[in-house]
Amino acid sequence: MTMQTWLGGISIAWLLAQTVLLFAYRHALTVRWREPALRFPVVIFESDDWGAGPLEQAKALENLREILAKFKDKKGRTPVATLGVILATADTQRIKNTDGVEYFSKSLSEPVYTPLRDVMEEGVRQGVFALHLHGMEHYWPQTLMQVAAKDMNVRDWLQSDGIPGTESLPSHLQARWTDASALPSRALTNEAVRAVMTEEASLFGTCFKMRPRVAVATTFVWTEEVESAWGKEGIDVIITPGARYTCRDATGKPGGEDKRMMNGELNKRGQIYLVRDVYFEPMLGHKPERLVNDAKERVRLGRPCLVEMHRSNFIGATEKCDTSLRVLEAALEQLQHTFPEIHFMTSLELAEAIRTKMPALLESKPIPQIRIWLRRIKQIRGFAKLSKISGLAVPLWIIGKAVGA
Ligand SMILES: [Zn+2]
């Protein structure tokens, strides 16, 4: 074999390996290309679980509103905390009166919640809050009733004095869109989902005089049928963790992943997905630096930074609440300092900007898009290593040099 034939053979083998690699990863590569690239840092706080529940929430939201309103981006927009709203919770007194035999709920539309609704609506007017549908209850009531028959803690929760927070329920029981009375959980019937969704959307309208446009499932467990029911009620934006979990598995954890999604991806009904994958929970000891680093990474990848920050940071022991507010304020100071071009907006506004390919926010020039894509594909599991082995890393490196990556 001559040297030329030998070299020719090696080149063909390399080319073949690179082609196979590109083919094997074609989906992962193309979705990262199609995913919109943002031109500016976008940070949105997403705070779930507000609504029907402990009455101290009104004061807690007042405090949160005050902190957010202290900051402004260059366009004069304040940071936004989207509130994942819960519309009803157990009427523990009435349940107790029946010895726990019957379930009753109290809705957010009742007069006892007027101060809470007022602060939510005032925050929306001021631009610091936006309201998302999180669910009627933060659980599936029949599931809770079934579990209560054999679990004393759940029975006590349903018959608590006052209004208990759902945070103290076992995590798997906090999922609404699955029957977790036994694990692994079982799917709810389509009829049941459709019937309650109409009720949810209508009660949201009664409470806030507007229809919900954005939904986020409790504990990030939902199904295709839930998305369809949301669609029928006019919900066109779905907040996700980047994957759809459809049940709670045998250990109680979210499971049954049947779909992965990127920011801006549309489902078959045209509903748009956003990805919330940054976690900032001061009560768990998360520091401002952690949030800034996570935001830097999202900015580097041309992605928005949707930050999960639950209500539980801001209700309960005074010391914990004060610390959470202080840490949030420090985080906002650091974010503004790190990103002078930061843009604050609601998740709905972000979704609309993506849907309409708004040039003021979305990158449309190919060179910066390629630069961002090259960074994104390095993060595909196994791809960087295999591209080195196959030699694909060389042309990618050359493209990177050409676009200044
Ligand atoms: Zn929740």
Side-chain angles (χ1 to χ4, degrees):
M1 193 186 279
T2 65
M3 181 64 105
Q4 268 174 329
T5 327
W6 190 79
L7 282 175
I10 293 275
S11 308
I12 289 169
W14 267 34
L15 272 177
L16 198 64
Q18 291 174 24
T19 311
V20 168
L21 186 61
L22 285 172
F23 185 76
Y25 280 89
R26 65 192 182 286
H27 178 70
L29 294 170
T30 48
V31 293
R32 281 161 182 78
W33 175 252
R34 276 196 231 117
E35 184 188 2
L38 301 188
R39 296 176 55 204
F40 299 102
V42 170
V43 177
I44 303 170
F45 292 90
E46 296 236 322
S47 193
D48 288 345
D49 305 344
W50 298 94
L55 299 178
E56 61 174 303
Q57 291 175 94
K59 180 74 186 115
L61 278 183
E62 196 63 71
N63 295 338
L64 182 58
R65 191 162 71 97
E66 222 169 85
I67 298 287
L68 295 168
K70 285 185 184 176
F71 297 86
K72 293 229 165 34
D73 67 13
K74 279 193 170 166
K75 291 187 164 174
R77 289 292 305 265
T78 59
V80 177
T82 68
L83 307 180
V85 177
I86 288 296
L87 295 162
T89 197
D91 185 338
T92 52
Q93 192 52 52
R94 285 185 76 190
I95 297 173
K96 201 176 195 168
N97 292 344
T98 68
D99 270 340
V101 174
E102 242 186 293
Y103 178 79
F104 296 97
S105 68
K106 198 169 234 173
S107 102
L108 186 59
S109 63
E110 298 204 18
V112 67
Y113 289 119
T114 304
L116 177 58
R117 290 195 315 274
D118 285 350
V119 65
M120 285 176 160
E121 288 184 310
E122 184 52 37
V124 171
R125 270 192 293 277
Q126 201 181 347
V128 298
F129 294 152
L131 307 179
H132 294 178
L133 176 63
H134 199 29
M136 186 68 89
E137 287 99 340
H138 204 297
Y139 49 82
W140 189 249
Q142 292 91 322
T143 295
L144 221 54
M145 290 298 280
Q146 276 178 46
V147 175
K150 49 191 189 236
D151 183 325
M152 209 175 63
N153 293 329
V154 175
R155 191 162 58 235
D156 288 350
W157 187 93
L158 278 166
Q159 298 184 40
S160 308
D161 293 328
I163 311 175
T166 46
E167 291 91 340
S168 57
L169 286 169
S171 167
H172 64 279
L173 295 179
Q174 295 178 36
R176 176 160 176 78
W177 299 121
T178 189
D179 175 6
S181 55
L183 293 173
S185 67
R186 286 161 307 179
L188 301 171
T189 66
N190 295 347
E191 294 71 37
V193 169
R194 277 200 294 269
V196 295
M197 202 64 87
T198 306
E199 242 183 283
E200 288 195 3
S202 138
L203 182 55
F204 190 99
T206 307
C207 289
F208 303 113
K209 288 151 217 85
M210 62 169 130
R211 303 285 293 179
R213 294 274 310 276
V214 185
V216 51
T218 64
T219 80
F220 280 141
V221 169
W222 78 104
T223 60
E224 180 64 28
E225 185 55 42
V226 171
E227 283 186 22
S228 161
W230 277 333
K232 286 194 181 85
E233 301 305 328
I235 284 157
D236 50 5
V237 182
I238 301 171
I239 306 293
T240 78
R244 185 170 68 189
Y245 300 103
T246 58
C247 68
R248 288 290 189 142
D249 68 16
T251 63
K253 297 220 163 56
E257 178 189 312
D258 69 348
K259 196 173 189 178
R260 296 199 73 81
M261 57 282 282
M262 313 291 279
N263 280 301
E265 209 171 307
L266 301 179
N267 68 12
K268 61 184 178 196
R269 284 169 296 276
Q271 290 162 296
I272 191 167
Y273 296 116
L274 292 179
V275 177
R276 182 206 285 176
D277 62 354
V278 170
Y279 303 93
F280 182 62
E281 310 277 18
M283 65 175 181
L284 299 179
H286 296 174
K287 298 276 180 274
E289 295 73 22
R290 172 189 161 119
L291 176 58
V292 171
N293 286 336
D294 285 344
K296 275 185 189 163
E297 182 60 2
R298 301 304 173 289
V299 172
R300 197 179 73 82
L301 299 171
R303 290 176 173 151
C305 179
L306 267 62
V307 186
E308 183 156 298
M309 183 181 70
H310 282 94
R311 141 184 112 165
S312 45
N313 289 287
F314 307 106
I315 60 167
T318 315
E319 201 184 326
K320 176 190 76 175
C321 300
D322 290 350
T323 307
S324 294
L325 290 167
R326 231 182 7 255
V327 173
L328 173 63
E329 187 169 4
L332 281 161
E333 274 163 14
Q334 290 193 28
L335 282 170
Q336 282 212 307
H337 178 75
T338 312
F339 308 110
E341 296 296 323
I342 196 165
H343 281 41
F344 296 127
M345 63 186 69
T346 66
S347 306
L348 181 60
E349 286 166 334
L350 172 65
E352 309 248 282
I354 292 176
R355 204 189 280 280
T356 56
K357 299 190 170 60
M358 190 191 276
L361 191 64
L362 265 64
E363 193 56 77
S364 57
K365 296 190 195 83
I367 292 191
Q369 279 180 315
I370 295 170
R371 215 179 285 146
I372 284 170
W373 179 72
L374 288 171
R375 289 180 200 144
R376 287 176 179 172
I377 64 173
K378 273 191 188 153
Q379 302 200 324
I380 303 170
R381 192 178 294 174
F383 181 74
K385 198 174 169 189
L386 288 171
S387 61
K388 270 184 201 153
I389 296 169
S390 66
L392 184 63
V394 177
L396 289 176
W397 179 83
I398 294 169
I399 297 171
K401 283 285 152 201
V403 298

